[in-house]
Amino acid sequence: ILFRHGADALNRTAPFDVRVVGGEKLDKRHALRGVVQEMARWVNAGDVDVFVTAQLPNAFVPVGDAPIQLLVGKNILDAASRFEQQFLVARALKIARAQMSITCRIRPDEMALMLRALMRLEMPGFEPKGVDLAALDDMVRRIGKHLTKRAKDDLGPHLVELAGASDFDPARVYALASTAGNRAGLLATGALPSALSSLAKLSGLNTGGRTSGTLVAQIEEARELLAFAISENHFEARQRAGADRR
């Protein structure tokens, strides 16, 4: 909900140009383009732009929500199998459709500052501990230039609730986005080994052609996804999505 109403202002505050990281459009003849088009149709995502970069060789993330833009690292483009491509595309589309692409392209501390600035916009007396108030107020001004009255009204109750939530860590919103994306990717493909090997590739680890338990243990996202895969929540989610009837 926070990003549904606030993403436009956040993206305008911290715009992104794929050219900064050497992004170039993916060749129309590349097999990945067909996978993207197929999976975009599954979720009615419309047109998706895909860019390739050698500067971030292990990236496979959404960097834009409207239109959806995916940034793919050269290493992953060259090494990912079709099942891995499907998982990574489904993962990225889930994050983009939740309007959380910004969490994939800015540092966690900057993301945290932006979210705290939204809270301070709603509650001027909000002073989180350990935060530079001058930097926070500067971000408040920057975001305030782009936040519409309607968005501010829609965000208000949710910001008040989050400000009072002791377990909310704004620096970990990427972890929340990636968890949702990983679970969506698993539901879309049903291929746990490919999901885990994909996450190993995103981490830049050498799988040697197989993903061992030792390797999974090194990757927080892989550990979480494995736990989800053997849970009742996963089987219930598959039933709700009709995944086993495909």
Side-chain angles (χ1 to χ4, degrees), residues 141-203:
R141 287 189 291 272
R142 290 172 58 193
I143 294 177
K145 295 177 183 177
H146 305 292
L147 193 67
T148 66
K149 183 180 184 304
R150 178 175 179 177
K152 189 173 186 298
D153 291 343
D154 288 336
L155 282 167
H158 306 292
L159 293 171
V160 171
E161 182 180 355
L162 284 177
S166 59
D167 59 345
F168 175 65
D169 182 356
R172 285 189 57 80
V173 291
Y174 168 73
L176 298 177
S178 63
T179 294
N182 293 337
R183 293 181 178 188
L186 180 59
L187 288 171
T189 63
L192 180 61
S194 294
L196 296 176
S197 61
S198 297
L199 294 176
K201 285 183 170 67
L202 287 179
S203 299

Side-chain angles (χ1 to χ4, degrees), residues 27-67:
D27 191 312
K28 292 182 179 180
R29 296 167 294 181
H30 197 283
L32 175 60
R33 187 170 290 280
V35 173
V36 171
Q37 290 174 339
E38 177 187 8
M39 305 204 77
R41 283 196 298 269
W42 285 7
V43 295
N44 297 316
D47 292 334
V48 178
D49 294 325
V50 185
F51 297 88
V52 182
T53 175
Q55 292 184 28
L56 301 171
N58 301 313
F60 200 118
V61 292
V63 292
D65 304 322

Side-chain angles (χ1 to χ4, degrees), residues 193-235:
S194 294
L196 296 176
S197 61
S198 297
L199 294 176
K201 285 183 170 67
L202 287 179
S203 299
L205 298 176
N206 183 3
T207 65
R210 59 190 297 272
T211 308
S212 65
T214 302
L215 193 64
V216 169
Q218 298 178 55
I219 307 167
E220 181 181 355
E221 290 187 42
R223 295 196 305 270
E224 192 285 329
L225 186 61
L226 182 58
F228 171 70
I230 60 176
S231 71
E232 286 296 324
N233 288 340
H234 176 219
F235 297 111

Side-chain angles (χ1 to χ4, degrees), residues 14-132:
F16 181 75
D17 187 338
V18 295
R19 292 173 295 184
V20 173
V21 293
E24 298 181 351
K25 278 210 169 186
L26 177 67
D27 191 312
K28 292 182 179 180
R29 296 167 294 181
H30 197 283
L32 175 60
R33 187 170 290 280
V35 173
V36 171
Q37 290 174 339
E38 177 187 8
M39 305 204 77
R41 283 196 298 269
W42 285 7
V43 295
N44 297 316
D47 292 334
V48 178
D49 294 325
V50 185
F51 297 88
V52 182
T53 175
Q55 292 184 28
L56 301 171
N58 301 313
F60 200 118
V61 292
V63 292
D65 304 322
I68 295 176
Q69 294 181 327
L70 306 186
L71 185 66
V72 181
K74 190 67 168 60
N75 285 359
I76 293 203
L77 183 70
D78 293 340
S81 69
R82 182 173 177 83
F83 278 129
E84 289 172 335
Q85 288 177 349
Q86 289 176 332
F87 170 80
L88 291 167
V89 171
R91 175 185 188 272
L93 291 179
K94 173 65 175 180
I95 296 171
R97 284 170 58 78
Q99 295 181 273
M100 297 182 76
S101 296
I102 190 172
T103 67
C104 300
R105 59 177 178 78
I106 68 173
R107 300 188 315 273
D109 59 324
E110 186 178 358
M111 189 75 255
L113 184 66
M114 295 181 84
L115 295 181
R116 289 184 173 118
L118 280 175
M119 296 175 192
R120 191 164 168 87
L121 263 169
E122 178 64 24
M123 299 162 289
F126 176 66
E127 297 184 0
K129 293 181 180 179
V131 176
D132 182 339

